[in-house]
Amino acid sequence: MLPRRKFLHLAAGAAAAFGSLAAARRAFAQAYPDRPVKLIVGFPAGGQIDIIARVTAQWLSQQLGQSVVVENRPGASGTLGAEAVVNAPPDGYTLFFAATSNAVSASLIKNLSYDFARDIAPVAPINRINLVLETNPAFAVTSVAELIAQAKANPGKIDIASPSLGTPPYMAVELFKMMAGVDIVHVPYAGEGQMVTDLLGGQLKAAIGGISSGIGHIRAGKLRALALTTATRIDELPGVPTIGETLPGFDASGWSGIVAPKATPAGIVDKLYSAVRAVQADPKFAARLADLGVSLLAMPPAEFGKFIADETVKWREVVKFAGLKPQ
């Protein structure tokens, strides 16, 4: 047994060492960032998520006083980029522009080397990706209730299209089938361009897609916006109801946001979160996102972490209902 005096001496030394370490961490966070920050995007350049990431990086650079450089690491529905960040040093210099696909991939991609919701430090969401249930005007349905009624009266005869497997619109169709209890034919497309073309041409009756790809046709009266998949109505399509107004609790919008490696110091996460909030408070930034067909989504880190976990659970249930097999 240690003499009391020696024990107290060792305890005091440990406390001093701990205090020095805590002070060092605070000083490190205060100095951050002192060099460029990398923001990894899990999709190719030129797509909607990449464009939003680059706009965000530009505004974030101004707030942080350092360049925020976007690096594309596409592949496997964004999981390759996520893996690179999960395994990066937790120093705040490698961040990831997360998206809905990262929550969906937890159930659709086999043998992932990480648990996305568990192995990241949430910083802040940036935007919500608004989706719309749109129809060809010749299709004699003018509300979600009418669509559900027709689908129940004609099981297996009404088709609803979407972009490819795992995308937010694809999952929105499957969620609609599950919550409405209808038997409809889900027609996946490789991309939204051809889907919208076929919808305009009448080869399709209905589809769920991003607002940015259909809003021009909707405003011109060439497509009908039947309902939004978001939890609330949005300014970009005033007067258009949500699916949730007919199916309470329905919410299938996409989202994007910034996360860091799991052990990133709280001081750095807080500094990044404050920078994001300052960016989102800039009316010009909000206007730029509106131009891209998306809207702001804001919440603190802890709430964002719970949001990602809840999204992962929700889409796991939809994947199970749809009988989708991990690939």
Side-chain angles (χ1 to χ4, degrees):
M1 182 177 292
L2 285 172
R4 184 171 182 275
R5 180 177 297 176
K6 188 169 185 179
F7 173 79
L8 292 175
H9 176 74
L10 290 173
F18 180 80
S20 297
L21 180 59
R25 286 176 174 170
R26 285 194 297 272
F28 176 67
Q30 288 169 0
Y32 171 86
D34 60 6
R35 63 181 190 271
V37 175
K38 183 191 303 180
L39 180 60
I40 293 179
V41 175
F43 294 92
Q48 186 177 54
I49 291 175
D50 173 73
I51 293 170
I52 296 168
R54 290 178 186 276
V55 170
T56 302
Q58 178 184 351
W59 257 269
L60 205 54
S61 297
Q62 298 170 11
Q63 289 296 324
L64 294 174
Q66 288 286 344
S67 297
V68 178
V69 181
V70 171
E71 179 180 307
N72 298 91
R73 294 199 188 184
S77 298
T79 60
L80 298 185
E83 184 175 33
V85 174
V86 165
N87 294 322
D91 56 10
Y93 289 96
T94 303
L95 307 175
F96 182 59
F97 204 69
T100 314
S101 58
N102 296 112
V104 176
S105 294
S107 302
L108 280 182
I109 303 294
K110 277 185 178 179
N111 304 318
L112 283 179
S113 63
Y114 59 88
D115 181 317
F116 187 73
R118 181 196 66 201
D119 294 336
I120 52 91
V123 174
I126 297 297
N127 67 284
R128 192 177 289 283
I129 301 171
N130 303 314
L131 309 176
V132 62
L133 171 58
E134 50 199 349
T135 65
N136 184 292
F139 183 32
V141 163
T142 59
S143 70
V144 172
E146 289 182 12
L147 176 61
I148 293 172
Q150 280 218 24
K152 288 186 175 181
N154 302 280
K157 294 183 180 179
I158 292 178
D159 51 66
I160 298 184
S162 75
S164 56
L165 177 68
T167 62
Y170 184 101
M171 302 308 296
V173 173
E174 293 299 332
L175 183 64
F176 179 77
K177 289 170 60 179
M178 184 176 79
M179 292 186 67
V182 293
D183 176 13
I184 58 175
V185 179
H186 188 175
V187 184
Y189 276 69
E192 283 189 286
Q194 187 59 50
M195 181 189 80
V196 171
T197 297
D198 287 355
L199 191 60
L200 289 166
Q203 290 91 340
L204 292 171
K205 293 184 178 71
I208 291 181
I211 283 180
S212 55
S213 64
I215 194 167
H217 303 298
I218 291 168
R219 287 172 174 166
K222 296 179 180 179
L223 293 178
R224 176 186 293 130
L226 203 65
L228 300 161
T229 70
T230 46
T232 58
R233 297 189 182 196
I234 63 172
D235 294 337
E236 288 81 5
L237 287 174
V240 177
T242 68
I243 293 176
E245 290 172 40
T246 302
L247 296 175
F250 189 98
D251 181 8
S253 54
W255 53 268
S256 302
I258 294 174
V259 303
K262 184 177 182 179
T264 302
I268 289 178
V269 170
D270 290 344
K271 183 170 283 192
L272 286 167
Y273 170 67
S274 295
V276 169
R277 292 300 295 128
V279 166
Q280 291 181 318
D282 186 337
K284 292 181 181 178
F285 180 77
R288 183 71 182 95
L289 290 191
D291 288 341
L292 296 169
V294 303
S295 54
L296 293 175
L297 178 62
M299 61 185 77
E303 188 177 339
F304 185 36
K306 183 179 184 304
F307 173 81
I308 292 173
D310 290 346
E311 283 279 287
T312 302
V313 172
K314 177 174 78 174
W315 294 124
R316 183 181 297 128
E317 291 300 314
V318 176
V319 166
K320 183 179 178 181
F321 166 82
L324 303 176
K325 302 299 182 184
Q327 298 179 358

